[in-house]
Amino acid sequence: HHHRHRISPTRLLTNRLALLLSLLPRRPGLALLLASLLLSLYSGSALYVALVEAPALLAAAASAPAEVFPSTSTFPPYASFPAEAFAPSLLKTLEDATAALGELEAGLGADPAPTPREALGRLERLLDDVNRSSGVLYHLKAVRDAQALRDAVDAVRPAAVEFGLKASQSRPIFEYFSAVKGDAEKWAALSGAEKRAIDEILRDARLAGVALEDGSEEKARFTEIQQRLSQISTDFSNNVQDATKAFSLRITDKARVRGVPPSALAFFAQNAREKGDEGASAEEGPWVVTLDMPAYIPVMRMAEDRGLREEMYRAMVTRASEFSPARELKEGEDEAKSIDNAPLVEDILALRREKARMLGMESFAEMSLESKMADLGSARQLLETLRSASYDAAVAEHEELEKFAKEECGFEGELQSWDLMFYAEKLQEKKYSFNAEDLRPYFALPRVLDGLFALTERLFEVKVTPVDFEVQTWNDEVKMYQITRDGRVISYFYFDPYSRPSEKRGGAWFNEVVGRSKVMAPDAAPYRIPIGHMVCNQSPPVDGKPSLMTYQEFETLFHEFGHSLQHMLTEEENGLVSGIRGIEWDAVETPSQFMENWCYDKATVDAIAVHYETGEKLPEELFNKVKEAKTFRAATAMLRQLLFAITDLELHSSYVPGADPAQSIYTTYYTVAKSCSVLTPLPFDRFLNSFGHIFAGGYAAGYYSYKWAEVLSSDCFSAFEEAGLDDDVAVRAAGRRFRDTVLARGGGAAPAEVFREFRGREPNTEALLRHSGLKAAVV
């Protein structure tokens, strides 16, 4: 799962930057804007920058005509807005937002003071302006990276961080909402969503250092830490992206690509043609292999040349490390900027720890969990429950693989990391008589979308259709869709499906353009309708065929659409907590992981899986094998996620940067691996150097959130299993209930309360373990 945005994201507004800029992540939303803002602040990422910068775009820069970036107009001018106009435009937006913040602060002390509802509305409006505009820059940097966009991000960063801190550390706002909370009558008059928004504003202000004395050394240091963290996380992302882009391997010897499937060879030949080998063909080469997933996975799964697999594996796990080739010199530079992320990771961990301790907490992990459903104890407890249920099973899976490789494939010696996917693919083929390639012709993207949209209509009573008007996009492959309910358009989303390694960040993610909001409603409309971007990195169409998807790409698409649905079907009108905003980070993956379950539902797959050339349906026997294979090596996959999650919590709690010369980020990783990995990581393994989820995204001391939310999502799906997946009436009824709770309420109610409302009880781990083919360890 690791490369799905999963470790996905984009998480939220403010996460935008961070996430957007992060490695894998694909995800959406976190706290309310401010909260998010803060969060981002305190999660040490550039998140808030996102939030922070924006309306300028709206105002548009002096160098761009004002109508280029209409402020409430629905769709951003992705194609026409000039890259060099971003910085002046955003700086102007930040200036306006800072002035609006000052007016709001002055007004809160006036007599008569605004009502809590008015104050929330004004705060939402100024944050929304910033967020909306900056979102365009961060989005373009993630999908169409260019030096001019990197320069714009660097140019606005200091002002953006400063604004983020001003908003989050605002004493007048903190004191005003503290007083509202302390006034029983005022508090009782507010809606549940308004109370949630205020609680998050107060919590995030505390986490942003609102209690630090104005003018004190501590406050100056806190600000300096925020600026540094924002800068470092951007550098971290750029290093990963540049290191990924720098690797390409041109192969001319046919023997080296033996076993690689024709679909991948056609893709590699297309890469070669783009890089100047005009006559390259799938059959004869030359072939150019890169580190983006549609290229990496087929080589690791199918290439018989063990040396090629090792070369690819080493390149992947040493990205942005001391083993990476140096950057090329840019014009005017004496020496190229280092691409090694190790010193950046040490700095990030030290700064986050220092910040947490300034706020009176033991560690950054404790600080991160302040705004989540779990606390450090319950997060560790869940990870240990899953680890103890998986470890022995994973050892048995490895032994089975080794035995198979030696006895049936003539393998000699010890299996290494670059052998696992290759022999697992062969063993899966033997056990279930199919391989990943056999399925792809049945999953052409256009049909998969039709099936996804049909399922959405069946479960949630909404229609998804392409829009019938022109809209600007950032690439010709991008399409826009609308969602209607009872004949009314309730949202729009852009879909950018294919891998473009030269300019697009890896992974898959969902991010918002704008959220549903009453305060931001255009004239005469009851509310502003939500718009989002859904971004994947799947296999592009090659040689005139449609994009033929692997099963993993099929699941990733459903996953991202789950996020989209929570953003787009929200019924919450308070923009600070509508859709994916304001949802605790460890609950935000619930709808996305819930949707993945439908990739193994017979009725759903039957509607999709038709051979793109012959029109033949996926044979039932083959589908049944796919279902059985879902739990193939599930314990190994579970341990891999737990290795990342536990390492993340340890690095942010017990590890103290610089305290002990014998300890490093890598010794922490290797120590955790002793109980979370059957194979010991190799001495050159620098996976942490590209772990963007936690060092440049919203998952710092929060990677456990995937598993926490998977407990919730599996348990939600078990409601459909209990109703009977073949009982259409019962499935539709459960779908409406899911829509009206998990999808409708968004951040407007606590996730534990929303879960209880849907499920009628507290969550438990039974469904997750059962879906993974595991049983709880008997203690």
Side-chain angles (χ1 to χ4, degrees), residues 717-727 730-731 734 737:
F717 189 71
S718 71
F720 290 79
E721 295 173 318
E722 287 164 19
L725 287 170
D726 44 11
D727 178 343
V731 165
R737 218 169 63 244

Side-chain angles (χ1 to χ4, degrees), residues 21 83 137-151 153 234 237-242 245 474 500-505:
L21 297 190
L137 172 59
Y138 297 115
H139 174 67
L140 287 176
K141 186 181 180 304
V143 293
R144 200 178 70 203
D145 191 26
Q147 192 57 46
L149 296 173
R150 290 187 177 191
D151 292 345
V153 168
T234 304
S237 296
N238 289 343
N239 286 347
V240 174
Q241 197 160 350
D242 291 347
K245 200 160 60 179
W474 51 94
R500 295 189 297 276
S502 66
E503 62 173 17
K504 184 174 172 184
R505 181 161 79 66

Side-chain angles (χ1 to χ4, degrees), residues 638-677:
M638 174 79 83
L639 270 193
R640 178 179 165 80
Q641 289 295 90
L642 295 172
L643 170 62
F644 301 152
I646 296 171
T647 299
D648 168 40
L649 282 183
E650 289 306 308
L651 286 173
H652 286 105
S653 57
S654 52
Y655 177 64
V656 183
D660 177 353
Q663 299 297 313
S664 73
I665 54 174
Y666 308 117
T667 58
T668 303
Y669 177 55
Y670 297 147
T671 303
V672 173
K674 286 178 184 155
S675 61
C676 284
S677 179

Side-chain angles (χ1 to χ4, degrees), residues 322-377:
E322 72 271 34
F323 306 116
S324 300
R327 265 204 178 87
E328 289 174 26
L329 270 179
K330 290 209 186 87
E331 231 175 293
E333 284 183 334
D334 297 329
E335 56 175 326
K337 204 169 172 185
S338 166
I339 203 167
D340 182 5
N341 272 340
L344 301 189
V345 169
E346 292 284 353
D347 284 352
I348 288 169
L349 292 171
L351 291 166
R352 285 175 179 169
R353 181 180 174 82
E354 182 183 351
K355 182 166 65 162
R357 295 178 79 88
M358 286 174 80
L359 298 180
M361 295 179 223
E362 278 300 303
S363 67
F364 182 78
E366 193 185 322
M367 181 173 173
S368 166
L369 288 153
E370 279 283 297
S371 58
K372 298 185 171 63
M373 289 177 75
D375 57 28
L376 196 50

Side-chain angles (χ1 to χ4, degrees), residues 564-641:
S564 311
L565 288 167
Q566 192 169 36
H567 174 67
M568 297 187 295
L569 302 193
T570 188
E571 288 176 18
E572 180 52 62
E573 291 183 1
N574 181 316
L576 293 171
V577 290
S578 70
I580 56 184
R581 294 182 182 180
I583 296 178
E584 282 75 350
W585 202 254
D586 42 9
V588 83
E589 298 297 332
T590 305
S592 51
Q593 294 182 153
F594 165 80
M595 287 299 290
E596 291 179 42
N597 289 286
W598 296 97
C599 299
Y600 295 91
D601 169 55
K602 184 164 171 16
T604 304
V605 175
D606 273 353
I608 288 172
V610 170
H611 195 287
Y612 79 102
E613 285 176 321
T614 66
E616 160 206 16
K617 292 193 87 152
L618 181 72
E620 184 157 353
E621 185 190 357
L622 182 51
F623 174 65
N624 290 334
K625 301 265 197 218
V626 169
K627 259 183 102 157
E628 281 175 52
K630 179 175 188 245
T631 55
F632 174 63
R633 294 179 61 76
T636 301
M638 174 79 83
L639 270 193
R640 178 179 165 80
Q641 289 295 90

